[in-house]
Amino acid sequence: MKVIWVLNGPNLNLLGEREPEVYGHTTLPEIERALVAHGARAGAEVTCWQSNHEGELVTRIQEARGRADGIILNPAAYTHTSVALRDALLAVEVPAVEVHLSNIHGREPFRRRSLTAAACVGIIAGFGPLGYHLALDALMARLGVEGQARQNGLLQGPTASEDAR
């Protein structure tokens, strides 16, 4: 079983009530419960954390080394400002997928730049809570459990080897 840590940044504790026209009505606990269940079906132990403090997120990323097989990170506002999160991701060498509920590339110009994305294996943005599930499936495939994920009906489309052809 793979160990996946889900880290959420500032203000995500207010999901469901903060700017629902942008972020939707689903709360963070609802997203986390669904993701933990999805992870169990995919062969992953999913653990979720949220912090409004950059240093706490850096510490969690550092603690992932040797303890987690992958990270799903929604750095929220720190996406656009945090060299510290980027450096932590690069230092731990644990594959990470960056997730955003909204499409950051379709929003204000300052939100279109991600300092953390280049330290991740991929980025998923604009699909609301589904983005976390997509990130988990992609991360599990990246970690070599694509066959198991397909068998559980969690992945569709061509395999990575078929895409390489």
Side-chain angles (χ1 to χ4, degrees):
M1 181 163 285
K2 297 295 182 183
V3 175
I4 307 298
W5 286 10
V6 181
L7 309 178
N8 286 289
N11 298 310
L12 289 169
N13 56 306
L14 300 177
L15 282 179
E17 56 189 75
R18 175 183 169 247
E19 297 181 81
E21 68 282 359
V22 174
Y23 302 110
H25 295 281
T26 307
T27 67
L28 187 59
E30 290 169 335
I31 290 171
E32 291 174 343
R33 280 191 298 275
L35 194 59
V36 167
H38 183 99
R41 290 188 303 273
E45 176 187 323
V46 174
T47 304
C48 303
W49 286 284
Q50 186 276 329
S51 179
N52 292 320
H53 304 282
E54 182 180 30
E56 288 180 8
L57 291 165
V58 168
T59 297
R60 286 287 185 198
I61 291 169
Q62 290 175 354
E63 289 172 347
R65 185 179 11 207
R67 296 174 65 191
D69 297 299
I71 297 169
I72 296 171
L73 173 66
N74 184 341
Y78 293 135
T79 302
H80 322 292
T81 63
S82 183
V83 173
L85 287 178
R86 175 191 168 93
D87 288 350
L89 288 165
L90 291 171
V92 299
E93 298 178 346
V94 174
V97 176
E98 183 174 306
V99 172
H100 297 283
L101 295 163
S102 68
N103 179 1
I104 63 172
H105 303 289
R107 297 190 59 197
E108 305 93 334
F110 74 90
R111 293 188 195 273
R112 296 176 189 163
R113 182 174 135 242
S114 171
L115 295 181
T116 49
C120 295
V121 297
I123 180 172
I124 297 174
F127 292 96
L130 175 62
Y132 287 89
H133 296 265
L134 296 171
L136 178 61
D137 289 345
L139 194 51
M140 293 296 281
R142 178 74 177 225
L143 293 170
V145 291
E146 182 175 4
Q148 183 178 356
R150 282 186 184 286
Q151 183 179 4
N152 293 338
L154 300 174
L155 289 177
Q156 305 295 320
T159 65
S161 59
E162 291 169 343
D163 278 345
R165 290 186 213 156

